[in-house]
Amino acid sequence: SPYHHGLTCDEEARRAELSMGVVARTSQRIEATLREALVRCCPGCRTPIERTDACCHMTCAGCRCEFSWVCGADWGTCRREHNCSARGVFLPGILSPLTRLRSRAEQDRELTEGDDASDFFLELRCLYLLSRLKQQVGEIAWEATRQAVPTLLEKVIRGRRDVRWSHIGNAQRLEVLSRHLPNAFPPL
């Protein structure tokens, strides 16, 4: 029939039922991925930690483990083997080569404020981890979820910043992330 694109009503009902299961599962995985993206777990005790200031040299209040907010590695390892802090330990400097990934309106403002830079970094982590998830669940499940729950990625970063569906899986953005911060965003 013309309303089911060549499927009978029963076939369309079954297809819709199956896709709703996929949407629910994919939505749950997206929400879990967002929770993972918005915090770092201490490499020492695995306690989830939310960054509250501009410095990326973190010290866990629980076990006193020092680590990098950018890549999540032990601080000594990060300093010796990674390029995360090559431009300093504050996010505005670290993220300066990535500013072209910001929206056009945001590109006019410098990344000088800690909150601005922090929100931008959280957006990049969300984009990266959601891109990895999109590869895992496949295009059909991803698109079905995007269509069924278009508001799922609204205001996810500190209740004020969206993650754009269209940026997830964008090969150019992912390549730029991997090139500039390969330990934080290894190639997918």
Side-chain angles (χ1 to χ4, degrees):
S1 91
Y3 300 106
H4 302 141
H5 307 288
L7 301 176
T8 67
C9 289
D10 288 340
E11 290 169 334
E12 173 60 18
R14 177 73 178 137
R15 187 205 62 76
E17 179 185 326
L18 288 173
S19 72
M20 287 307 292
V22 165
V23 167
R25 285 191 305 274
T26 304
S27 293
Q28 287 177 339
R29 291 185 69 187
I30 287 172
E31 289 167 355
T33 299
L34 288 170
R35 284 190 297 278
E36 176 187 352
L38 297 173
V39 299
R40 280 274 187 208
C41 288
C42 168
C45 66
R46 306 302 304 155
T47 299
I49 298 173
E50 185 177 5
R51 198 176 135 279
T52 58
D53 61 21
C55 185
C56 292
H57 176 194
M58 306 297 291
T59 302
C60 176
C63 72
R64 308 302 299 162
C65 178
E66 297 179 48
F67 65 98
S68 166
W69 176 258
V70 177
C71 66
D74 170 85
W75 184 248
T77 301
C78 179
R79 295 289 287 179
R80 276 190 317 277
E81 300 172 18
H82 301 172
N83 74 338
C84 303
S85 58
R87 290 179 189 83
V89 296
F90 296 101
L91 275 177
I94 293 168
L95 297 176
S96 61
L98 301 172
T99 56
R100 70 173 182 241
L101 297 178
R102 299 171 78 205
S103 71
R104 293 199 197 289
E106 291 174 322
Q107 286 178 8
D108 293 338
R109 281 193 341 262
E110 284 188 52
L111 263 184
T112 54
E113 297 298 317
D115 280 351
D116 231 16
S118 182
D119 287 357
F120 179 52
F121 183 74
L122 291 174
E123 179 184 359
L124 295 176
R125 268 189 54 84
C126 288
L127 289 173
Y128 176 78
L129 293 174
L130 288 169
S131 295
R132 186 175 68 191
L133 176 63
K134 182 179 180 181
Q135 287 181 346
Q136 293 169 358
V137 301
E139 191 65 40
I140 293 170
W142 190 263
E143 186 58 25
T145 304
R146 185 190 67 76
Q147 288 180 6
V149 196
T151 59
L152 187 60
L153 301 179
E154 291 180 3
K155 309 264 184 267
V156 296
I157 300 169
R158 300 181 207 244
R160 62 180 177 237
R161 191 179 186 114
D162 301 345
V163 175
R164 295 184 184 160
W165 287 95
S166 61
H167 290 177
I168 297 166
N170 180 298
Q172 280 184 300
R173 286 177 175 277
L174 294 170
E175 193 276 324
V176 169
L177 288 176
S178 293
R179 187 171 8 129
H180 290 289
L181 291 170
N183 300 99
F185 305 108
L188 295 177

